[in-house]
Amino acid sequence: MPRRVKAQVVVIGGGPAGMASALAAFENGARPVFLLERGEYLGGILNQCIHPGFGLHLFGEELTGPEYAERFKEKLSRTQVEVLLNTTVLEITPQRIVRAVNPQGVWEFETTRAVLSMGCRERTRGMLRLPGTRPAGIFTAGLAQYLVNIEGLLPGKEVLILGSGDIGLIMARRLTLEGATVKAVVEVRDSLSGLLRNYVQCLHDFNIPLWLSHTVTTIQGKERVEGVVVSRVDEGGRAIPGSERVVPCDTLLLSVGLIPENELSRQASIPLCPRTGGPVINEYFACEREGFFACGNVVGVFDLVDYVTLVSQGVGEAVNIPTAFSPAKYHLVPGDGVSLVIPQKIQEGKKGFLFLRSLQSFRQAAVSFSFQGKEFHKLRVPLCYPSEMIRLNIQDIPWPSQGGEIRIGITGERIRGIY
Amino acid sequence: MVLPVKESAESTKVICIVCPKGCILEGRRDERGVTIQNGCPRGQEYAYRELQNPCRIVTTTIAVRNAALKRLPVRTSLPFPKRRIPELIDFLHTLSVEAPVRVGTVLMENLLGEPGVHLVATRTIERKSPSRETERQT
């Protein structure tokens, strides 16, 4: 027989989003609050992100991932939030029954509010449809990070990294420091995907080349990776025949994007947004199903953990707000130049944050809001990069009096190259 | 396409990372020292430091004994001279500490003789609990 527990709040996932929302829910008077974590420790991916750069917005100092996580672990230990580690959620029903299993047995939570904070996972070789043999030595960048920083293992000696996102750049430096040779970072687009700061401190500092407008077209090797074929790509991202070169290496790291992890959300029949891959949410981060909230990278991939904490604290407050699930007035749609809009729905436009991500790098950019084909608000942004979300206060935008679809676009002068 | 600035011992060019603009600042070296020729005041200060003695916060892991985890993440308390980073990493590979360790603990002072740059634990790691060990053995 499962242990049956009645809860006011059950938080699924103990990374930065789950820790902040459970803590804020408890501080706002919710009782009891359960925080369920699949792994042996709280902190999620922060535990393996041992580099500095976290917490600048929230704490005004540059913390490492584990230090950032420790602040929340310590706060949680001083509350009566019930943290269950080694606990895997097997199922969530639309009626908010959460079934989980851990070494103590099977649990069945009946909860008034469920907070989804499962985070995201990495895109893999299969998703890239990379042809070639299937040798050992192909890792996602995050897995390599886990092996190096948590297990103390070096995944290879001669490494090529595909994708210039921040995790790939950070790993280029990390592997170099641990004695590996990073041959190059290869990026299919014509501009850097990660932050300039990471380019300078992770690649430039160690003389690691960055090949823009290139991609890996074949993997070679039988038992172990022996090399990869790198080709130039044209404007449309297609490999140019005749441009191939073989790079000898024993390891290929893939840093090619993250996908919100929403199998449990699907089970609970929570409507998902095809653009973000996460639940459709409003300014309270309430899902389109009564009683469910979502926060952090399960909603869409954020670039700063500070922002994840910020929105998750908002969720912890919103669990007590009865109108959080009221119908939305505005529906936000990404227009030209925009890859991501969070949230997708807005009730009144009086609170919360609006996060935008541009599709490309722009100089002298303008963010334009339009309703029924007419622009009603325009915002100038001097520099705009896909690696840095634009964060706006929802209340600062003069929303139209009539509800409906709002289209948000970004235009500007394209920046090609590294900066 | 803008190509990365080649770095060499004599390089007097710096990619500024103070803000996202990514200006390339140029310095001139003479007997009086380094003068930065362009950029905003904050950028000039950054470039000056980069040309005098570039320093970085160094993070890595060291071995930890008597714990469920194998590695303890650590950092330098202050930026450490960039040119000595390989030397530092080699030295840190020889260290190991005994659990329990608390986040923020100074494990070693004045790393490689650099005044004020200490080695700090960035994670709390508990001692391996004996009950767990027996659980695993059975």
Side-chain angles (χ1 to χ4, degrees):
Chain A
M1 279 292 285
R3 295 169 194 230
R4 291 216 161 79
V5 183
K6 275 202 191 321
Q8 192 184 349
V9 178
V10 171
V11 179
I12 297 128
M19 292 194 296
S21 57
L23 199 59
F26 186 85
E27 283 167 353
N28 282 281
R31 301 284 189 283
V33 178
F34 286 88
L35 175 53
L36 314 185
E37 164 56 38
R38 175 172 64 182
E40 223 169 312
Y41 303 94
L42 285 178
I45 213 70
L46 285 171
N47 289 328
Q48 70 182 59
C49 297
I50 64 164
H51 54 278
F54 303 90
L56 210 53
H57 289 248
L58 214 63
F59 299 113
E61 54 184 310
E62 275 202 59
L63 302 172
T64 65
E67 287 173 307
Y68 190 96
E70 288 289 351
R71 298 210 168 184
F72 292 87
K73 290 184 199 174
E74 273 173 25
K75 275 191 185 164
L76 276 166
S77 70
R78 290 197 293 270
T79 68
Q80 282 82 54
V81 171
E82 302 231 22
V83 178
L84 298 183
L85 301 173
N86 300 302
T87 304
T88 303
V89 173
L90 304 171
E91 187 188 10
I92 309 175
T93 73
Q95 293 73 38
R96 293 186 309 283
I97 305 290
V98 178
R99 295 199 178 92
V101 63
N102 70 9
Q104 282 85 53
V106 179
W107 297 68
E108 205 170 271
F109 298 92
E110 197 181 307
T111 187
T112 317
R113 296 284 182 257
V115 179
L116 307 171
S117 51
M118 291 89 74
C120 58
R121 60 167 176 251
E122 297 179 278
R123 291 182 73 213
T124 60
R125 177 187 181 180
M127 296 173 189
L128 294 180
R129 283 174 280 171
L130 253 180
T133 50
R134 302 186 61 191
I138 304 164
F139 301 87
T140 57
L143 174 58
Q145 190 179 45
Y146 173 81
L147 292 172
V148 176
N149 294 345
I150 304 288
E151 295 295 333
L153 301 169
L154 196 60
K157 294 199 172 92
E158 299 203 305
V159 186
L160 187 106
I161 300 177
L162 177 60
S164 68
D166 288 309
I167 314 170
L169 301 177
I170 296 281
M171 281 315 292
R173 171 176 64 187
R174 190 75 193 106
L175 290 168
T176 306
L177 285 177
E178 289 299 331
T181 304
V182 177
K183 295 281 184 89
V185 173
V186 174
E187 168 59 54
V188 70
R189 297 151 60 115
D190 62 6
S191 60
L192 184 73
S193 292
L195 297 170
L196 175 67
R197 178 177 77 169
N198 285 333
Y199 165 74
V200 171
Q201 298 197 342
C202 299
L203 301 192
H204 189 263
D205 267 7
F206 299 96
N207 294 313
I208 299 167
L210 170 65
W211 297 341
L212 297 174
S213 301
H214 280 76
T215 193
V216 170
T217 41
T218 311
I219 299 170
Q220 297 175 335
K222 203 170 169 199
E223 299 296 319
R224 178 80 198 192
V225 172
E226 286 163 17
V228 295
V229 178
V230 175
S231 306
R232 272 193 70 85
V233 298
D234 61 20
E235 292 266 311
R238 289 170 297 263
I240 301 169
S243 70
E244 301 88 356
R245 67 173 122 168
V246 179
V247 181
C249 59
D250 59 23
T251 304
L252 173 65
L253 289 202
L254 303 174
S255 172
V256 288
L258 304 165
I259 319 160
E261 189 153 348
N262 278 286
E263 279 66 26
L264 291 171
S265 322
R266 271 188 210 100
Q267 268 185 347
S269 306
I270 290 168
L272 299 182
C273 164
R275 201 67 176 247
T276 56
V280 174
I281 49 152
N282 64 18
E283 68 263 51
Y284 295 98
F285 279 66
C287 303
E288 291 193 306
R289 177 165 288 281
E290 181 88 29
F292 285 96
F293 291 89
C295 54
N297 285 354
V298 79
V299 172
V301 179
F302 286 78
D303 40 36
L304 292 179
V305 70
D306 303 56
Y307 289 172
V308 166
T309 300
L310 216 56
V311 301
S312 306
Q313 286 169 338
V315 165
E317 289 160 26
V319 293
N320 286 325
I321 300 174
T323 54
F325 296 93
S326 301
K329 191 169 170 186
Y330 309 107
H331 179 198
L332 311 187
V333 182
D336 290 339
V338 175
S339 69
L340 183 94
V341 177
I342 293 175
Q344 297 90 350
K345 298 285 173 86
I346 289 182
Q347 287 183 3
E348 290 299 330
K350 294 207 173 87
K351 66 151 283 170
F353 300 110
L354 176 61
F355 296 95
L356 304 172
R357 195 186 291 289
S358 70
L359 217 47
Q360 283 148 337
S361 303
F362 296 113
R363 203 174 277 124
Q364 309 296 345
V367 183
S368 150
F369 292 74
S370 49
F371 177 65
Q372 293 176 344
K374 264 201 218 116
E375 181 180 276
F376 66 90
H377 185 53
K378 194 174 193 169
L379 206 95
R380 302 251 169 228
V381 184
L383 284 161
C384 173
Y385 297 97
S387 54
E388 292 179 67
M389 281 178 152
I390 300 172
R391 187 187 69 170
L392 305 171
N393 289 321
I394 285 176
Q395 71 208 45
D396 294 345
I397 297 157
W399 302 100
S401 49
Q402 208 186 333
E405 187 182 288
I406 311 280
R407 194 165 281 273
I408 306 173
I410 300 180
T411 50
E413 184 195 326
R414 275 274 278 121
I415 304 173
R416 285 165 220 270
I418 294 161
Y419 34 79
Chain B
M1 190 199 295
V2 186
L3 289 170
V5 181
K6 275 272 181 297
E7 196 191 33
S8 71
E10 288 75 39
S11 166
T12 50
K13 282 185 181 169
V14 173
I15 307 169
C16 182
I17 57 166
V18 169
C19 83
K21 269 191 190 169
C23 300
I24 295 175
L25 305 189
E26 251 178 281
R28 198 176 50 204
R29 255 200 194 103
D30 56 28
E31 60 283 357
R32 290 201 311 274
V34 175
T35 332
I36 313 297
Q37 288 168 313
N38 53 339
C40 69
R42 283 177 67 205
Q44 291 193 344
E45 200 188 307
Y46 169 78
Y48 184 80
R49 280 200 309 272
E50 280 294 287
L51 292 175
Q52 283 291 335
N53 182 22
C55 290
R56 303 281 184 265
I57 295 277
V58 179
T59 61
T60 184
T61 65
I62 63 172
V64 55
R65 299 184 307 272
N66 249 319
L69 291 162
K70 298 183 185 83
R71 310 293 299 180
L72 171 71
V74 292
R75 67 180 293 171
T76 55
S77 59
L78 291 173
F80 181 88
K82 191 170 119 181
R83 66 195 152 77
R84 296 191 74 192
I85 289 176
E87 196 188 332
L88 176 64
I89 294 283
D90 285 345
F91 169 67
L92 295 178
H93 279 157
T94 66
L95 295 186
S96 83
V97 290
E98 176 109 8
V101 190
R102 275 200 65 75
V103 62
T105 305
V106 174
L107 303 168
M108 189 171 274
E109 293 188 342
N110 306 322
L111 281 170
L112 301 185
E114 291 293 334
V117 186
H118 310 319
L119 186 69
V120 180
T122 58
R123 185 172 181 178
T124 296
I125 295 188
E126 303 299 340
R127 179 177 279 274
K128 192 194 270 177
S129 64
S131 60
R132 257 207 105 78
E133 208 165 328
T134 43
E135 203 178 275
R136 279 195 178 158
Q137 278 164 5
T138 51

